[in-house]
Amino acid sequence: MIQLQRWQHLFRHSLSPLIPLEHTTLQQHRVALYIKRDDLLHPSISGNKWRKLKYVLRQALSEQAAGLLSFGGAWSNHLHALAAAGNTLGMPTVGIVRGEPEYAANPTLSDAQGWGMQLAFVDRQTYRRRHHADFLAELRRRYPGFYLIPEGGSCELALPGVAELWQELPACDQLILPVASGGTLAGLLSARPEHTHLTGYAVLKGKDWLARTVQQLYAPAESDNGWRLRLNHHGGGYAKCSVEDRSAITALSTALGIPLEPIYSGKAMLGLFRDIEAGCYPPDSRLIFLHTGGLQSARSQVS
């Protein structure tokens, strides 16, 4: 009962602001751009992680799980958010981390450990098995009673929490967002208004698999023509950002007066502005950009 009350308090309705943006590029191309500041939803569980974990954690509580276990890289926003949520709910957490044990001292994982998360580091080959039944069975034996959550929190139960975002948005031509594990895009597609299209900017090399991942999470996406992925703005791969792009993101952040990091929202916003300049969005378009949070990861970002 106490844990459920904590869950209700943690996920009580919180409305993030919607702010109009001004920039010479927008004026020149007659594009109206607003930003949905989901990075302000919660100080430790910001953006899409707050929305994706909402009903996943309620299910874990309903099953009286012994704890929470998930997967991520050394700068994972998801593991950071899960550790904070587990600490609030009074649930033990385990993070299976891709990388070397020396990463444990970085700010992201230091926070996670401070909230009580136990870290288990694995090499890349082992990490690739995170979807394999035998590896998951091994983890269940090692951590009996723990509720296993996929990387990024992207699973079927994440979709309704993300879909609730539509209740907070006015009409627009397109909703723009960064895409990594695909769960946020799938959740938005599950309740997409007919008049609004979705454009996802991949922040990693997802050409051969990212669309399939979205379709696996939400099967009707395969026949839905109201969405697209922009795959050429990943900057070389996940968490990679050239000196030139990093400088451009910093300049864009300053010009817009919005905090951006070079991994998710910063990379997607830069891609959006480059596409606007290239004429990919028609004049008089009304766009909303979803800031998915993750600003904490910039503290650990390396070139």
Side-chain angles (χ1 to χ4, degrees):
M1 178 63 71
I2 293 176
Q3 285 181 321
L4 181 58
Q5 290 174 346
R6 290 174 177 172
W7 177 88
Q8 291 171 336
H9 179 74
L10 182 60
F11 292 103
R12 66 189 185 279
H13 184 67
S14 181
L15 188 66
S16 61
L18 181 70
I19 301 171
L21 296 178
E22 296 183 0
H23 194 279
T24 54
T25 296
L26 303 175
Q27 297 170 353
Q28 291 169 358
H29 294 270
R30 289 169 42 202
V31 170
L33 178 61
Y34 297 76
I35 187 166
K36 179 66 168 168
R37 293 288 307 274
D38 264 13
D39 56 304
L40 300 177
L41 278 173
H42 189 278
S44 304
I45 314 170
S46 72
N48 60 343
K49 305 309 177 189
W50 186 88
R51 296 186 187 275
K52 290 166 79 173
L53 286 172
K54 182 176 182 179
Y55 296 111
V56 173
L57 295 182
R58 188 176 71 176
Q59 181 63 28
L61 290 174
S62 71
E63 294 182 14
Q64 298 183 332
L68 307 165
L69 182 149
S70 196
F71 311 83
W75 303 283
S76 170
N77 291 319
H78 168 62
L79 291 183
H80 188 267
L82 186 66
N87 182 63
T88 298
L89 297 174
M91 299 184 74
T93 54
V94 171
I96 307 299
V97 183
R98 181 188 68 249
E100 302 299 325
E102 55 260 32
Y103 288 133
N106 77 35
T108 295
L109 296 182
S110 292
D111 284 352
Q113 291 176 99
W115 287 316
M117 176 172 274
Q118 177 185 342
L119 304 179
F121 291 88
V122 298
D123 58 30
R124 290 182 178 273
Q125 183 176 359
T126 302
Y127 193 80
R128 292 191 189 101
R129 298 175 56 216
R130 64 192 180 280
H131 303 301
H132 295 187
D134 59 338
F135 183 53
L136 296 177
E138 178 185 332
L139 290 175
R140 289 189 176 96
R141 287 192 295 270
R142 193 185 310 171
Y143 303 100
F146 273 59
Y147 190 90
L148 271 59
I149 303 170
E151 181 183 43
S154 293
C155 58
E156 185 176 353
L157 279 173
L159 305 191
V162 173
E164 290 175 351
L165 176 74
W166 289 114
Q167 301 170 20
E168 305 173 17
L169 296 178
C172 64
D173 298 313
Q174 292 201 45
L175 180 61
I176 316 292
L177 69 152
V179 179
S181 61
T184 302
L185 179 54
L188 291 170
L189 279 169
S190 72
R192 181 182 70 84
E194 184 177 356
H195 60 272
T196 301
H197 283 221
L198 282 163
T199 296
Y201 281 79
V203 300
L204 37 64
K205 295 180 180 180
K207 181 177 180 181
D208 298 324
W209 59 270
L210 191 51
R212 289 198 304 271
T213 300
V214 174
Q215 292 161 7
Q216 288 167 0
L217 289 166
Y218 180 65
E222 186 173 2
S223 57
D224 187 341
N225 296 320
W227 66 288
R228 63 176 176 169
L229 285 169
R230 300 292 292 158
L231 299 170
N232 298 323
H233 297 285
H234 55 69
Y238 180 71
K240 293 183 179 180
C241 191
S242 67
V243 173
E244 178 186 5
D245 283 356
R246 190 186 299 273
S247 177
I249 291 170
T250 299
L252 194 54
S253 175
T254 300
L256 296 174
I258 299 293
L260 298 170
E261 39 64 53
I263 303 174
Y264 296 97
S265 291
K267 192 177 286 188
M269 184 70 86
L270 180 60
L272 170 60
F273 267 76
R274 286 174 172 169
D275 279 352
I276 291 173
E277 291 170 350
C280 295
Y281 294 89
D284 301 320
S285 292
R286 181 180 172 91
L287 313 177
I288 296 177
F289 183 94
L290 176 61
H291 195 314
T292 55
L295 294 170
Q296 69 80 27
S297 63
R299 301 172 303 163
S300 304
Q301 172 66 4
V302 294
S303 312

